[in-house]
Amino acid sequence: MSLRLHLPNFQQCSSPLSSSLSLPPCFHVPCSQIRWPHATWSSSIACRLPQQQQSVAVIEKNETSTSVLSERKVIRFGLPSKGRMAADTLDLLKDCQLLVKQVNPRQYVAEIPQLSNLEVWFQRPKDIVRKLLSGDLDLGIVGFDTFSEYGLGNEDLIIVHDALGYGDCRLSLAIPNHGIFESINSLRELSQMPQWTASKPLRIATGFTHLGPKFMRDNGFVNVTFSTADGALEAAPAMGIADAILDLVSSGTTLKENNLKEIEGGVLLESQAVLVARRKSLVEQKDVRCRTKEILERFEAHLRAVDQFTVTAHMRGSSAEEVAGRVCSQPSLSGLEGPTISPVFCKHNGKVTPDYYAIVICVPKKALYKSVQQLREIGGSGVLVSPLTYIFEEVTPRWKELLLKLGL
């Protein structure tokens, strides 16, 4: 790849990179902004153009060069690199028979042998979203809060699965439970406090600098300012550096221990882990769609089964239809699409007859005991209960929805 630099008059000085690049002795080009075929430089050449001339420095590449992104054929899947979200993500993949293999735990790149032509990249959640936007990743798993904060509503990001079943939390506004806030219990009451003026606005500490201001504007707050902070936000009001905080809350225990409270109307969003993708990758690359479909079907099959039991019981009856009628009369025994009824053959006096019928149904875990009671009431016996691992549908509903969103 050839580079042509157009520079005005520049100051003369010595650059440590000028000899290797065969460039003029002095200029200022941030090399972190240049994509090279085999590497990205993180340093910049340490010389300066005069202030009035810096804006006209231009780098051109010839038309025959090709960017790294356009040459990339392998699919990239971004996963959280640290913390509870990372551990729960690996557990979900393992439960779906997708085992992430790392040669070295300190490496940021891994593979899933069951998914060909796919690389796993371990990244911070916010970087996963940013790299989906830049095209450096095709798929990723992050919290919905992170997706909303750093995705900035960009239409090139699309949620493939919106409920992976872990990472549950809420983004909520919290204020002290004493002092001037003691009687304040709603967002409306907070907005009507006379203390907030242009010279003394409501001060909110948060790491959500996109969602926070938007939420307060949408709720009529005018005199409000935000300070950026990450971690230990609960201490900010006690230290006097903020009046309120906007942060993720799970159980709320930490807030109570720091004399803070949530208020009515103060929840911005409910969050959990979501599977997201780059729309352009899905539309333009068939291989990305195929891998996404497989991942989605595995997730759907497992997540649908995880809250279900298989219940098998024996019941006397005159026919399969008569037994099915008794089973379907009970609201907790309908199963996914109805009970499976099959004859159980017994031998009496040398003759084989179907004295019993076997009933197989799927029952939600929370309704298990009630379902067993209803089976007994209609003549069921020998009830067996087994956990379910997967429930595969003919067509995964979320895949159909995704194709509609993509216009495919």
Side-chain angles (χ1 to χ4, degrees):
M1 179 177 71
S2 64
L3 295 176
R4 186 167 72 254
L5 291 120
H6 301 281
L7 297 172
N9 294 329
F10 43 78
Q11 296 173 346
Q12 297 294 321
C13 68
S14 175
S15 169
L17 297 180
S18 61
S19 59
S20 61
L21 292 178
S22 300
L23 294 171
C26 181
F27 60 98
H28 178 71
V29 179
C31 293
S32 60
Q33 304 301 316
I34 308 173
R35 287 191 179 275
W36 300 88
H38 302 293
T40 301
W41 293 9
S42 59
S43 61
S44 62
I45 298 173
C47 297
R48 297 181 182 174
L49 284 171
Q51 184 66 35
Q52 68 272 21
Q53 296 176 357
Q54 290 183 20
S55 62
V56 296
V58 179
I59 297 180
E60 296 181 355
K61 60 181 180 179
N62 62 23
E63 297 179 357
T64 61
S65 65
T66 306
S67 69
V68 175
L69 181 59
S70 63
E71 292 177 352
R72 178 169 64 81
K73 300 300 181 184
V74 67
I75 302 164
R76 288 180 177 172
F77 188 11
L79 301 183
S81 56
K82 295 180 181 179
R84 181 64 181 271
M85 179 73 79
D88 288 345
T89 298
L90 293 179
D91 287 343
L92 172 63
L93 290 166
K94 184 178 179 180
D95 289 339
C96 297
Q97 305 299 311
L98 297 173
L99 186 63
V100 177
K101 292 184 64 177
Q102 276 181 286
V103 177
N104 186 320
R106 294 188 178 184
Q107 289 182 334
Y108 291 100
V109 186
E111 65 174 355
I112 300 176
Q114 295 82 6
L115 300 175
S116 61
N117 195 37
L118 182 142
E119 292 176 343
V120 169
W121 284 78
F122 290 103
Q123 301 283 300
R124 294 183 302 175
K126 62 183 179 181
D127 289 334
I128 290 175
V129 179
R130 288 167 175 166
K131 289 177 181 178
L132 283 167
L133 285 171
S134 67
D136 294 313
L137 292 175
D138 303 298
L139 297 164
I141 292 179
V142 296
F144 180 66
D145 58 289
T146 304
F147 172 83
S148 302
E149 172 69 14
Y150 295 97
L152 304 175
N154 193 297
E155 293 184 354
D156 198 38
L157 294 183
I158 190 166
I159 294 180
V160 179
H161 197 300
D162 62 350
L164 296 182
Y166 61 93
D168 295 86
C169 60
R170 58 190 177 274
L171 181 58
S172 185
L173 186 71
I175 60 176
N177 57 20
H178 55 274
I180 62 173
F181 298 102
E182 186 173 1
S183 61
I184 304 300
N185 296 297
S186 71
L187 190 65
R188 182 178 179 183
E189 291 173 349
L190 181 65
S191 68
Q192 294 175 347
M193 290 179 69
Q195 284 86 348
W196 318 130
T197 64
S199 60
K200 190 180 178 181
L202 173 67
R203 299 169 301 160
I204 301 176
T206 186
F208 292 84
T209 55
H210 168 66
L211 294 176
K214 182 179 184 301
F215 176 77
M216 300 306 283
R217 285 195 305 270
D218 292 345
N219 283 277
F221 283 80
V222 177
N223 299 314
V224 58
T225 60
F226 290 83
S227 58
T228 304
D230 291 316
L233 293 182
E234 293 83 4
M239 295 176 68
I241 60 177
D243 301 303
I245 67 170
L246 179 63
D247 201 10
L248 296 175
V249 179
S250 294
S251 65
T253 301
T254 305
L255 291 180
K256 293 177 182 178
E257 291 177 347
N258 286 275
N259 299 313
L260 298 173
K261 63 182 178 182
E262 295 178 88
I263 56 177
E264 180 185 346
V267 177
L268 277 72
L269 56 80
E270 300 284 345
S271 180
Q272 64 175 299
V274 295
L275 173 64
V276 297
R278 182 172 178 255
R279 182 188 294 268
K280 189 173 182 180
S281 297
L282 288 171
V283 171
E284 296 181 358
Q285 300 180 50
K286 182 179 179 181
D287 206 19
V288 174
R289 289 199 300 275
C290 290
R291 294 298 165 272
T292 301
K293 181 181 181 182
E294 180 173 352
I295 293 170
L296 180 60
E297 287 190 331
R298 287 175 180 262
F299 283 179
E300 283 276 74
H302 171 68
L303 293 171
R304 192 174 185 199
V306 75
D307 290 326
Q308 301 276 338
F309 281 124
T310 299
V311 176
T312 304
H314 286 179
M315 188 179 297
R316 287 186 180 274
S318 58
S319 67
E321 290 76 13
E322 185 268 329
V323 171
R326 275 190 278 161
V327 174
C328 291
S329 68
Q330 304 298 315
S332 296
L333 304 179
S334 58
L336 295 177
E337 296 175 349
T340 299
I341 311 293
S342 54
V344 177
F345 292 95
C346 302
K347 189 174 183 180
H348 297 290
N349 300 321
K351 187 176 181 181
V352 176
T353 57
D355 290 350
Y356 288 88
Y357 288 87
I359 306 158
V360 181
I361 56 174
C362 289
V363 173
K365 288 183 177 179
K366 60 184 180 182
L368 176 63
Y369 188 68
K370 183 178 180 181
S371 299
V372 172
Q373 285 181 311
Q374 290 183 353
L375 273 172
R376 289 169 172 168
E377 289 172 2
I378 60 175
S381 62
V383 180
L384 303 178
V385 180
S386 304
L388 270 171
T389 306
Y390 305 104
I391 300 175
F392 284 97
E393 305 242 16
E394 182 179 356
V395 179
T396 303
R398 279 187 170 88
W399 178 247
K400 292 175 65 177
E401 294 172 7
L402 180 62
L403 293 180
L404 287 175
K405 291 179 183 178
L406 298 174
L408 299 176

